Amino acid sequence: MARILMSGPDVTDLEREAVAEAFASGWIAPLGPAVDAFEAAMAERIGRSHAVALASGTSALHLGLLAWGVGPGDVVPTSTMTFAATANAISYTGATPYFVDSDPETGQMDPELLGRVLARLGEEGVPVPAVVPVDLLGSCADHTRIVEIAHAAGAKVLVDSAESLGAHHAGLPAGKHGDAAIFSFNGNKVMTTSGGGMYLTDDEAAAARVRHLATQAREPAVHYEHRDIGFNYRLSNLLAAMGNAQLRRLDGMIARRRVRREAYARIVEDVPGVEVFQRDGDEQDNCWLTALVVDPELAGTDAAALSTALTAAGIESRPLWKPMHLQPVFAGIPAEVTGASERLFRTGLTLPSGSALSEEECARIDATLRAALAAHEIAPPLTEAAT
Ligand SMILES: *Cc1c(COP(=O)(O)O)cnc(C)c1O
């Protein structure tokens, strides 16, 4: 039995043909018309003036910060509940991240805690040129409040929308919030170029700076002339061709992820203490990963037990992101924590959510999950007798 992945790539003949066409066109090395088309299509879809296609979401975060001059001595508040790439990119610039805990319901950066951090850093006279909130699992953070709070403190906002392409907040698409935003097209995201990313902004100077830094910071001269340390961070034309094909299928892929989420919601509907995480905002989400939140007191089982049952059936699942303030590599980094993200890490479990799951695979997941959830009804643990 093949292992069922949480979010495997969803590719068809359309992608195969697009890459073959780019190959046949001779635009192999490395920029070309597919990159231009991909940038134009993405800028259009999100409603941004500028889009720069890059090698990864991580490189987009890195250059987005460098374009604003973020560097050593600066502090950059970010969500503690995220994938390490967010905090890594801040560290690459020489700045120090400051981890901000989650809203206990949504898991997103708590704007009130951000306000507290910015006030404290402001009093201490610490330079805070930027804030990097993360859109967690395909749903947007509260950018209305985050941007207001950050701007009031004189900080720009670079949104890590790596996971949230296709989601919305306050009527605007992910990628349109803040002063700039990034997407990831890694193989496990809602759409993929096998590896890739995009930087989006309405700020022409920042976009030009990102483009410049991404192409080895080459000055316009026949000989190689350089005034900055550059990077080789552009997306290749072959991969952009795949991105163009994926973008055409994006809405369909998101619809399939939503169907999967609804199937999970039906399974846990009558199970006390088990909920689909972030479900309230459903029409606004891209449903990148569906997670369950399991309250062991009420459910008589826990996320770890469910995970064990799924693993035994060859089905991938994972806890929600381990918060950055608990990661050994970021020990000693300042953090404003309430325990909200730690609780979600302990009680949350992300489930297979990909748009390429077959009916057979879905049936196997659902049967395994149902059985695992039902198991406690036969043998409730002792804690349940007390409730
Ligand atoms: C995937 C991801 C990234 C990194 O994107 P890559 O394209 O893999 O470099 C950054 N931030 C978050 C929140 C992510 O999920």
Side-chain angles (χ1 to χ4, degrees):
M1 247 182 336
R3 193 165 131 83
I4 298 176
L5 298 178
M6 272 198 324
S7 184
D10 178 351
V11 288
T12 64
D13 285 345
L14 192 71
E15 286 79 2
R16 188 196 310 272
E17 282 158 21
V19 174
E21 246 171 64
F23 195 93
S25 78
W27 290 95
I28 311 288
L31 293 168
V35 172
D36 301 340
F38 191 33
E39 289 178 345
M42 196 62 79
E44 156 105 34
R45 181 177 171 120
I46 307 303
R48 284 286 202 186
S49 320
H50 307 280
V52 185
L54 296 164
S56 63
T58 310
S59 54
L61 287 167
H62 184 192
L63 295 190
L65 292 170
L66 289 183
W68 291 341
V70 174
D74 293 330
V75 169
V76 177
T78 190
S79 314
T80 191
M81 177 139 267
T82 184
F83 178 56
T86 319
N88 286 345
I90 294 168
S91 305
Y92 298 163
T93 69
T96 306
Y98 199 123
F99 298 122
V100 181
D101 214 334
S102 304
D103 173 289
E105 284 301 308
T106 65
Q108 310 282 4
M109 176 188 278
D110 185 331
E112 218 168 291
L113 299 179
L114 173 66
R116 230 181 274 171
V117 167
L118 290 174
R120 185 178 314 136
L121 293 172
E123 274 166 31
E124 293 168 3
V126 175
V128 183
V131 174
V132 183
V134 176
D135 287 342
L136 183 64
L137 301 193
S139 123
C140 289
D142 184 355
H143 298 303
T144 308
R145 289 184 64 204
I146 289 171
V147 169
E148 189 184 304
I149 290 165
H151 283 181
K156 290 187 172 170
V157 178
L158 174 63
V159 183
D160 182 347
S161 297
E163 302 168 3
S164 64
L165 175 61
H168 287 77
H169 163 73
L172 293 176
K176 181 64 183 166
H177 301 278
D179 302 284
I182 69 97
F183 291 126
S184 164
F185 310 120
N186 192 37
N188 64 345
K189 295 302 201 288
V190 73
M191 69 167 248
T192 184
T193 57
S194 99
M198 184 85 67
Y199 170 84
L200 296 108
T201 185
D202 297 319
D203 177 343
E204 188 174 357
R209 183 83 185 143
V210 166
R211 216 175 271 280
H212 176 68
L213 291 174
T215 43
Q216 308 282 25
R218 280 156 65 165
E219 297 296 327
V222 185
H223 64 273
Y224 288 126
E225 176 87 5
H226 304 274
R227 293 166 195 281
D228 297 293
I229 302 286
F231 301 83
N232 185 5
Y233 272 0
R234 283 288 254 161
L235 184 69
S236 110
N237 196 60
L238 295 182
L239 301 185
M242 182 165 163
N244 285 318
Q246 285 266 285
L247 192 55
R248 263 177 266 152
R249 295 181 50 238
L250 177 62
D251 293 322
M253 292 194 290
I254 290 173
R256 285 179 64 88
R257 285 183 190 257
R258 177 154 294 124
V259 167
R260 188 85 294 266
R261 175 165 300 185
E262 289 313 307
Y264 287 131
R266 277 194 302 281
I267 290 171
V268 303
E269 203 165 43
D270 299 320
V271 182
V274 183
E275 278 175 19
V276 169
F277 182 54
Q278 295 179 330
R279 179 127 183 280
D280 288 347
D282 266 1
E283 327 80 82
Q284 304 286 310
D285 294 11
N286 70 8
C287 299
W288 174 53
L289 288 184
T290 294
L292 298 180
V293 177
V294 185
D295 178 345
E297 304 266 303
L298 293 170
T301 183
D302 60 9
L306 295 182
S307 181
T308 302
L310 290 165
T311 304
I315 301 165
E316 185 185 18
S317 66
R318 283 178 199 272
L320 286 179
W321 301 129
K322 180 173 185 178
M324 289 304 113
H325 70 269
L326 299 181
Q327 297 287 357
V329 67
F330 293 119
I333 294 288
E336 180 76 15
V337 292
T338 59
S341 61
E342 287 176 40
R343 175 192 299 269
L344 286 170
F345 171 55
R346 277 200 317 273
T347 58
L349 188 70
T350 53
L351 300 172
S353 310
S355 48
L357 290 170
S358 68
E359 266 177 50
E360 221 177 358
E361 288 173 320
C362 291
R364 197 167 111 207
I365 299 163
D366 293 356
T368 308
L369 188 59
R370 278 207 176 85
L373 287 166
H376 80 275
E377 287 168 17
I378 301 157
L382 288 175
T383 50
E384 194 161 80
T387 60

